[in-house]
PDB file of all heavy atoms in Angstrom:
ATOM      1  N   ASP A  27     -12.777   3.064  -8.417  1.00 90.00           N
ATOM      2  CA  ASP A  27     -11.862   2.847  -9.616  1.00 90.00           C
ATOM      3  C   ASP A  27     -10.674   2.034  -9.313  1.00 90.00           C
ATOM      4  O   ASP A  27      -9.860   2.400  -8.389  1.00 90.00           O
ATOM      5  CB  ASP A  27     -11.506   4.227 -10.054  1.00 90.00           C
ATOM      6  CG  ASP A  27     -10.716   4.168 -11.422  1.00 90.00           C
ATOM      7  OD1 ASP A  27      -9.536   3.877 -11.451  1.00 90.00           O
ATOM      8  OD2 ASP A  27     -11.456   4.298 -12.529  1.00 90.00           O
ATOM      9  N   VAL A  28     -10.504   0.971  -9.982  1.00 91.00           N
ATOM     10  CA  VAL A  28      -9.347   0.017  -9.713  1.00 91.00           C
ATOM     11  C   VAL A  28      -7.976   0.670 -10.051  1.00 91.00           C
ATOM     12  O   VAL A  28      -7.038   0.518  -9.140  1.00 91.00           O
ATOM     13  CB  VAL A  28      -9.470  -1.282 -10.601  1.00 91.00           C
ATOM     14  CG1 VAL A  28      -8.378  -2.248 -10.304  1.00 91.00           C
ATOM     15  CG2 VAL A  28     -10.803  -2.067 -10.187  1.00 91.00           C
ATOM     16  N   GLY A  29      -7.882   1.379 -11.199  1.00 92.00           N
ATOM     17  CA  GLY A  29      -6.636   1.898 -11.509  1.00 92.00           C
ATOM     18  C   GLY A  29      -6.264   3.027 -10.531  1.00 92.00           C
ATOM     19  O   GLY A  29      -5.032   3.098 -10.151  1.00 92.00           O
ATOM     20  N   ASP A  30      -7.122   3.875 -10.144  1.00 93.00           N
ATOM     21  CA  ASP A  30      -6.759   4.870  -9.090  1.00 93.00           C
ATOM     22  C   ASP A  30      -6.311   4.231  -7.775  1.00 93.00           C
ATOM     23  O   ASP A  30      -5.334   4.696  -7.174  1.00 93.00           O
ATOM     24  CB  ASP A  30      -8.019   5.681  -8.819  1.00 93.00           C
ATOM     25  CG  ASP A  30      -8.390   6.580 -10.052  1.00 93.00           C
ATOM     26  OD1 ASP A  30      -7.518   6.697 -10.920  1.00 93.00           O
ATOM     27  OD2 ASP A  30      -9.446   7.223 -10.020  1.00 93.00           O
ATOM     28  N   HIS A  31      -7.056   3.203  -7.350  1.00 93.00           N
ATOM     29  CA  HIS A  31      -6.617   2.419  -6.102  1.00 93.00           C
ATOM     30  C   HIS A  31      -5.193   1.930  -6.209  1.00 93.00           C
ATOM     31  O   HIS A  31      -4.387   1.995  -5.361  1.00 93.00           O
ATOM     32  CB  HIS A  31      -7.615   1.347  -5.728  1.00 93.00           C
ATOM     33  CG  HIS A  31      -8.797   2.005  -4.901  1.00 93.00           C
ATOM     34  ND1 HIS A  31      -9.881   2.527  -5.503  1.00 93.00           N
ATOM     35  CD2 HIS A  31      -8.976   2.081  -3.543  1.00 93.00           C
ATOM     36  CE1 HIS A  31     -10.724   2.966  -4.602  1.00 93.00           C
ATOM     37  NE2 HIS A  31     -10.178   2.664  -3.382  1.00 93.00           N
ATOM     38  N   GLN A  32      -4.988   1.292  -7.372  1.00 92.00           N
ATOM     39  CA  GLN A  32      -3.560   0.735  -7.657  1.00 92.00           C
ATOM     40  C   GLN A  32      -2.574   1.853  -7.612  1.00 92.00           C
ATOM     41  O   GLN A  32      -1.432   1.693  -7.012  1.00 92.00           O
ATOM     42  CB  GLN A  32      -3.542  -0.026  -8.975  1.00 92.00           C
ATOM     43  CG  GLN A  32      -4.380  -1.274  -9.012  1.00 92.00           C
ATOM     44  CD  GLN A  32      -4.331  -1.949 -10.311  1.00 92.00           C
ATOM     45  OE1 GLN A  32      -3.824  -1.334 -11.286  1.00 92.00           O
ATOM     46  NE2 GLN A  32      -4.851  -3.180 -10.428  1.00 92.00           N
ATOM     47  N   GLN A  33      -2.856   2.985  -8.219  1.00 93.00           N
ATOM     48  CA  GLN A  33      -1.909   4.106  -8.109  1.00 93.00           C
ATOM     49  C   GLN A  33      -1.667   4.630  -6.788  1.00 93.00           C
ATOM     50  O   GLN A  33      -0.507   4.874  -6.364  1.00 93.00           O
ATOM     51  CB  GLN A  33      -2.458   5.217  -9.162  1.00 93.00           C
ATOM     52  CG  GLN A  33      -1.432   6.378  -9.266  1.00 93.00           C
ATOM     53  CD  GLN A  33      -1.985   7.459 -10.221  1.00 93.00           C
ATOM     54  OE1 GLN A  33      -2.885   7.174 -10.958  1.00 93.00           O
ATOM     55  NE2 GLN A  33      -1.404   8.628 -10.133  1.00 93.00           N
ATOM     56  N   VAL A  34      -2.709   4.826  -5.957  1.00 93.00           N
ATOM     57  CA  VAL A  34      -2.537   5.297  -4.643  1.00 93.00           C
ATOM     58  C   VAL A  34      -1.853   4.323  -3.789  1.00 93.00           C
ATOM     59  O   VAL A  34      -0.965   4.698  -2.928  1.00 93.00           O
ATOM     60  CB  VAL A  34      -3.912   5.668  -4.060  1.00 93.00           C
ATOM     61  CG1 VAL A  34      -3.834   5.979  -2.523  1.00 93.00           C
ATOM     62  CG2 VAL A  34      -4.472   6.827  -4.744  1.00 93.00           C
ATOM     63  N   LEU A  35      -2.135   3.033  -3.945  1.00 92.00           N
ATOM     64  CA  LEU A  35      -1.434   2.037  -3.040  1.00 92.00           C
ATOM     65  C   LEU A  35       0.063   1.938  -3.468  1.00 92.00           C
ATOM     66  O   LEU A  35       0.834   1.845  -2.472  1.00 92.00           O
ATOM     67  CB  LEU A  35      -2.160   0.707  -3.327  1.00 92.00           C
ATOM     68  CG  LEU A  35      -3.523   0.470  -2.712  1.00 92.00           C
ATOM     69  CD1 LEU A  35      -4.112  -0.827  -3.199  1.00 92.00           C
ATOM     70  CD2 LEU A  35      -3.304   0.337  -1.160  1.00 92.00           C
ATOM     71  N   ALA A  36       0.279   2.075  -4.678  1.00 92.00           N
ATOM     72  CA  ALA A  36       1.761   2.062  -5.023  1.00 92.00           C
ATOM     73  C   ALA A  36       2.550   3.199  -4.517  1.00 92.00           C
ATOM     74  O   ALA A  36       3.651   3.169  -3.990  1.00 92.00           O
ATOM     75  CB  ALA A  36       1.866   2.033  -6.635  1.00 92.00           C
ATOM     76  N   ALA A  37       1.876   4.380  -4.563  1.00 93.00           N
ATOM     77  CA  ALA A  37       2.494   5.591  -3.970  1.00 93.00           C
ATOM     78  C   ALA A  37       2.636   5.475  -2.460  1.00 93.00           C
ATOM     79  O   ALA A  37       3.586   5.887  -1.898  1.00 93.00           O
ATOM     80  CB  ALA A  37       1.703   6.819  -4.283  1.00 93.00           C
ATOM     81  N   ALA A  38       1.687   4.942  -1.800  1.00 92.00           N
ATOM     82  CA  ALA A  38       1.677   4.739  -0.316  1.00 92.00           C
ATOM     83  C   ALA A  38       2.814   3.815   0.074  1.00 92.00           C
ATOM     84  O   ALA A  38       3.547   4.108   1.017  1.00 92.00           O
ATOM     85  CB  ALA A  38       0.372   4.237   0.185  1.00 92.00           C
ATOM     86  N   LEU A  39       2.983   2.751  -0.595  1.00 90.00           N
ATOM     87  CA  LEU A  39       4.080   1.798  -0.411  1.00 90.00           C
ATOM     88  C   LEU A  39       5.447   2.321  -0.496  1.00 90.00           C
ATOM     89  O   LEU A  39       6.319   1.976   0.272  1.00 90.00           O
ATOM     90  CB  LEU A  39       3.863   0.442  -1.236  1.00 90.00           C
ATOM     91  CG  LEU A  39       2.703  -0.419  -0.887  1.00 90.00           C
ATOM     92  CD1 LEU A  39       2.621  -1.609  -1.893  1.00 90.00           C
ATOM     93  CD2 LEU A  39       2.672  -0.925   0.488  1.00 90.00           C
ATOM     94  N   ARG A  40       5.545   3.307  -1.466  1.00 90.00           N
ATOM     95  CA  ARG A  40       6.846   3.881  -1.688  1.00 90.00           C
ATOM     96  C   ARG A  40       7.201   4.853  -0.486  1.00 90.00           C
ATOM     97  O   ARG A  40       8.419   5.222  -0.310  1.00 90.00           O
ATOM     98  CB  ARG A  40       6.823   4.728  -2.987  1.00 90.00           C
ATOM     99  CG  ARG A  40       6.906   3.780  -4.193  1.00 90.00           C
ATOM    100  CD  ARG A  40       7.209   4.668  -5.448  1.00 90.00           C
ATOM    101  NE  ARG A  40       6.185   5.678  -5.792  1.00 90.00           N
ATOM    102  CZ  ARG A  40       5.221   5.425  -6.595  1.00 90.00           C
ATOM    103  NH1 ARG A  40       5.057   4.294  -7.211  1.00 90.00           N
ATOM    104  NH2 ARG A  40       4.338   6.499  -6.825  1.00 90.00           N
ATOM    105  N   GLN A  41       6.173   5.293   0.268  1.00 91.00           N
ATOM    106  CA  GLN A  41       6.405   6.131   1.447  1.00 91.00           C
ATOM    107  C   GLN A  41       6.835   5.283   2.704  1.00 91.00           C
ATOM    108  O   GLN A  41       7.197   5.958   3.690  1.00 91.00           O
ATOM    109  CB  GLN A  41       5.178   6.962   1.723  1.00 91.00           C
ATOM    110  CG  GLN A  41       4.954   8.084   0.685  1.00 91.00           C
ATOM    111  CD  GLN A  41       6.076   9.065   0.598  1.00 91.00           C
ATOM    112  OE1 GLN A  41       6.496   9.610   1.689  1.00 91.00           O
ATOM    113  NE2 GLN A  41       6.630   9.381  -0.536  1.00 91.00           N
ATOM    114  N   LEU A  42       6.591   4.048   2.610  1.00 86.00           N
ATOM    115  CA  LEU A  42       6.777   3.150   3.815  1.00 86.00           C
ATOM    116  C   LEU A  42       8.206   2.522   3.748  1.00 86.00           C
ATOM    117  O   LEU A  42       8.486   1.973   2.763  1.00 86.00           O
ATOM    118  CB  LEU A  42       5.724   2.118   3.968  1.00 86.00           C
ATOM    119  CG  LEU A  42       4.382   2.628   4.087  1.00 86.00           C
ATOM    120  CD1 LEU A  42       3.344   1.450   4.240  1.00 86.00           C
ATOM    121  CD2 LEU A  42       4.105   3.572   5.308  1.00 86.00           C
ATOM    122  N   PRO A  43       8.904   2.521   4.814  1.00 79.00           N
ATOM    123  CA  PRO A  43      10.205   1.825   4.872  1.00 79.00           C
ATOM    124  C   PRO A  43      10.015   0.357   5.058  1.00 79.00           C
ATOM    125  O   PRO A  43      10.274  -0.263   6.033  1.00 79.00           O
ATOM    126  CB  PRO A  43      10.910   2.467   5.987  1.00 79.00           C
ATOM    127  CG  PRO A  43       9.809   2.899   6.976  1.00 79.00           C
ATOM    128  CD  PRO A  43       8.756   3.269   6.078  1.00 79.00           C
ATOM    129  N   LEU A  44       9.453  -0.224   3.963  1.00 73.00           N
ATOM    130  CA  LEU A  44       9.024  -1.728   4.084  1.00 73.00           C
ATOM    131  C   LEU A  44      10.109  -2.640   3.749  1.00 73.00           C
ATOM    132  O   LEU A  44      10.635  -2.695   2.617  1.00 73.00           O
ATOM    133  CB  LEU A  44       7.876  -1.927   3.152  1.00 73.00           C
ATOM    134  CG  LEU A  44       6.516  -1.401   3.424  1.00 73.00           C
ATOM    135  CD1 LEU A  44       5.532  -1.512   2.274  1.00 73.00           C
ATOM    136  CD2 LEU A  44       5.901  -2.059   4.671  1.00 73.00           C
ATOM    137  N   PRO A  45      10.701  -3.335   4.761  1.00 72.00           N
ATOM    138  CA  PRO A  45      11.666  -4.411   4.448  1.00 72.00           C
ATOM    139  C   PRO A  45      10.923  -5.589   3.830  1.00 72.00           C
ATOM    140  O   PRO A  45       9.687  -5.614   3.824  1.00 72.00           O
ATOM    141  CB  PRO A  45      12.228  -4.766   5.832  1.00 72.00           C
ATOM    142  CG  PRO A  45      11.189  -4.339   6.802  1.00 72.00           C
ATOM    143  CD  PRO A  45      10.462  -3.164   6.216  1.00 72.00           C
ATOM    144  N   PRO A  46      11.583  -6.492   3.193  1.00 58.00           N
ATOM    145  CA  PRO A  46      10.945  -7.663   2.541  1.00 58.00           C
ATOM    146  C   PRO A  46      10.127  -8.490   3.453  1.00 58.00           C
ATOM    147  O   PRO A  46       9.197  -9.190   2.982  1.00 58.00           O
ATOM    148  CB  PRO A  46      12.157  -8.443   1.962  1.00 58.00           C
ATOM    149  CG  PRO A  46      13.312  -7.438   1.983  1.00 58.00           C
ATOM    150  CD  PRO A  46      13.144  -6.587   3.108  1.00 58.00           C
ATOM    151  N   TRP A  47      10.319  -8.451   4.776  1.00 67.00           N
ATOM    152  CA  TRP A  47       9.615  -9.304   5.694  1.00 67.00           C
ATOM    153  C   TRP A  47       8.469  -8.514   6.331  1.00 67.00           C
ATOM    154  O   TRP A  47       7.807  -8.932   7.373  1.00 67.00           O
ATOM    155  CB  TRP A  47      10.506  -9.864   6.763  1.00 67.00           C
ATOM    156  CG  TRP A  47      11.294  -8.802   7.538  1.00 67.00           C
ATOM    157  CD1 TRP A  47      10.860  -8.112   8.557  1.00 67.00           C
ATOM    158  CD2 TRP A  47      12.543  -8.283   7.062  1.00 67.00           C
ATOM    159  NE1 TRP A  47      11.865  -7.201   8.913  1.00 67.00           N
ATOM    160  CE2 TRP A  47      12.868  -7.342   8.041  1.00 67.00           C
ATOM    161  CE3 TRP A  47      13.408  -8.581   6.079  1.00 67.00           C
ATOM    162  CZ2 TRP A  47      14.059  -6.636   8.044  1.00 67.00           C
ATOM    163  CZ3 TRP A  47      14.648  -7.910   6.038  1.00 67.00           C
ATOM    164  CH2 TRP A  47      14.953  -6.877   6.999  1.00 67.00           C
ATOM    165  N   SER A  48       8.085  -7.317   5.884  1.00 82.00           N
ATOM    166  CA  SER A  48       7.087  -6.524   6.531  1.00 82.00           C
ATOM    167  C   SER A  48       5.695  -7.165   6.327  1.00 82.00           C
ATOM    168  O   SER A  48       5.421  -7.924   5.524  1.00 82.00           O
ATOM    169  CB  SER A  48       7.018  -5.167   5.891  1.00 82.00           C
ATOM    170  OG  SER A  48       8.283  -4.395   6.260  1.00 82.00           O
ATOM    171  N   LYS A  49       4.824  -6.754   7.226  1.00 87.00           N
ATOM    172  CA  LYS A  49       3.441  -7.129   7.267  1.00 87.00           C
ATOM    173  C   LYS A  49       2.653  -5.861   7.126  1.00 87.00           C
ATOM    174  O   LYS A  49       2.758  -4.934   7.790  1.00 87.00           O
ATOM    175  CB  LYS A  49       3.132  -7.896   8.590  1.00 87.00           C
ATOM    176  CG  LYS A  49       3.910  -9.176   8.806  1.00 87.00           C
ATOM    177  CD  LYS A  49       3.648  -9.809  10.062  1.00 87.00           C
ATOM    178  CE  LYS A  49       4.367  -9.051  11.156  1.00 87.00           C
ATOM    179  NZ  LYS A  49       4.244  -9.810  12.490  1.00 87.00           N
ATOM    180  N   LEU A  50       1.580  -5.988   6.174  1.00 89.00           N
ATOM    181  CA  LEU A  50       0.780  -4.771   5.795  1.00 89.00           C
ATOM    182  C   LEU A  50      -0.733  -5.216   5.908  1.00 89.00           C
ATOM    183  O   LEU A  50      -1.060  -6.222   5.345  1.00 89.00           O
ATOM    184  CB  LEU A  50       1.090  -4.368   4.421  1.00 89.00           C
ATOM    185  CG  LEU A  50       0.243  -3.232   3.907  1.00 89.00           C
ATOM    186  CD1 LEU A  50       0.523  -1.930   4.691  1.00 89.00           C
ATOM    187  CD2 LEU A  50       0.595  -2.972   2.410  1.00 89.00           C
ATOM    188  N   LEU A  51      -1.524  -4.508   6.592  1.00 90.00           N
ATOM    189  CA  LEU A  51      -2.966  -4.664   6.709  1.00 90.00           C
ATOM    190  C   LEU A  51      -3.607  -3.410   5.990  1.00 90.00           C
ATOM    191  O   LEU A  51      -3.344  -2.249   6.416  1.00 90.00           O
ATOM    192  CB  LEU A  51      -3.336  -4.742   8.256  1.00 90.00           C
ATOM    193  CG  LEU A  51      -4.903  -4.739   8.458  1.00 90.00           C
ATOM    194  CD1 LEU A  51      -5.524  -5.973   7.799  1.00 90.00           C
ATOM    195  CD2 LEU A  51      -5.210  -4.678   9.888  1.00 90.00           C
ATOM    196  N   VAL A  52      -4.365  -3.694   5.040  1.00 91.00           N
ATOM    197  CA  VAL A  52      -5.112  -2.716   4.271  1.00 91.00           C
ATOM    198  C   VAL A  52      -6.578  -2.757   4.571  1.00 91.00           C
ATOM    199  O   VAL A  52      -7.107  -3.804   4.452  1.00 91.00           O
ATOM    200  CB  VAL A  52      -4.853  -2.886   2.699  1.00 91.00           C
ATOM    201  CG1 VAL A  52      -5.577  -1.759   1.959  1.00 91.00           C
ATOM    202  CG2 VAL A  52      -3.406  -2.858   2.377  1.00 91.00           C
ATOM    203  N   ARG A  53      -7.178  -1.632   4.976  1.00 90.00           N
ATOM    204  CA  ARG A  53      -8.575  -1.598   5.285  1.00 90.00           C
ATOM    205  C   ARG A  53      -9.281  -0.642   4.345  1.00 90.00           C
ATOM    206  O   ARG A  53      -8.927   0.590   4.198  1.00 90.00           O
ATOM    207  CB  ARG A  53      -8.747  -1.089   6.722  1.00 90.00           C
ATOM    208  CG  ARG A  53      -7.877  -1.950   7.789  1.00 90.00           C
ATOM    209  CD  ARG A  53      -8.241  -1.449   9.217  1.00 90.00           C
ATOM    210  NE  ARG A  53      -7.841  -0.027   9.443  1.00 90.00           N
ATOM    211  CZ  ARG A  53      -7.958   0.532  10.633  1.00 90.00           C
ATOM    212  NH1 ARG A  53      -8.301  -0.189  11.745  1.00 90.00           N
ATOM    213  NH2 ARG A  53      -7.511   1.762  10.773  1.00 90.00           N
ATOM    214  N   ILE A  54     -10.221  -1.200   3.632  1.00 88.00           N
ATOM    215  CA  ILE A  54     -11.017  -0.373   2.715  1.00 88.00           C
ATOM    216  C   ILE A  54     -12.519  -0.521   3.062  1.00 88.00           C
ATOM    217  O   ILE A  54     -12.985  -1.577   3.537  1.00 88.00           O
ATOM    218  CB  ILE A  54     -10.767  -0.655   1.182  1.00 88.00           C
ATOM    219  CG1 ILE A  54     -11.011  -2.118   0.922  1.00 88.00           C
ATOM    220  CG2 ILE A  54      -9.340  -0.365   0.805  1.00 88.00           C
ATOM    221  CD1 ILE A  54     -10.875  -2.640  -0.476  1.00 88.00           C
ATOM    222  N   ASP A  55     -13.322   0.500   2.699  1.00 84.00           N
ATOM    223  CA  ASP A  55     -14.768   0.438   3.049  1.00 84.00           C
ATOM    224  C   ASP A  55     -15.507  -0.120   1.846  1.00 84.00           C
ATOM    225  O   ASP A  55     -14.929  -0.347   0.818  1.00 84.00           O
ATOM    226  CB  ASP A  55     -15.352   1.737   3.534  1.00 84.00           C
ATOM    227  CG  ASP A  55     -15.038   2.878   2.532  1.00 84.00           C
ATOM    228  OD1 ASP A  55     -14.827   2.512   1.332  1.00 84.00           O
ATOM    229  OD2 ASP A  55     -15.138   4.065   2.823  1.00 84.00           O
TER     230      ASP A  55
END
Protein backbone atom coordinates (compact mmCIF):
# COMPACT_ATOMS: atom_id res chain seq x y z
CA ASP A 1 0.00 0.00 0.00
CA VAL A 2 1.57 3.29 -1.14
CA GLY A 3 -0.18 5.49 1.41
CA ASP A 4 0.84 3.26 4.31
CA HIS A 5 4.47 3.26 3.17
CA GLN A 6 4.47 7.03 2.84
CA GLN A 7 3.06 7.36 6.36
CA VAL A 8 5.63 4.98 7.88
CA LEU A 9 8.52 6.59 6.01
CA ALA A 10 7.48 10.05 7.19
CA ALA A 11 7.23 8.84 10.80
CA ALA A 12 10.63 7.12 10.52
CA LEU A 13 12.30 10.26 9.16
CA ARG A 14 10.93 12.27 12.08
CA GLN A 15 12.75 9.88 14.42
CA LEU A 16 16.12 10.43 12.76
CA PRO A 17 18.32 13.43 13.56
CA LEU A 18 18.72 14.10 9.85
CA PRO A 19 20.68 17.25 8.97
CA PRO A 20 20.07 18.67 5.48
CA TRP A 21 23.20 16.93 4.15
CA SER A 22 22.31 13.46 5.39
CA LYS A 23 22.41 10.34 3.25
CA LEU A 24 19.64 7.76 3.51
CA LEU A 25 19.51 4.25 2.05
CA VAL A 26 16.05 2.62 2.03
CA ARG A 27 15.81 -1.15 1.47
CA ILE A 28 12.44 -2.71 0.64
CA ASP A 29 11.62 -6.24 -0.50
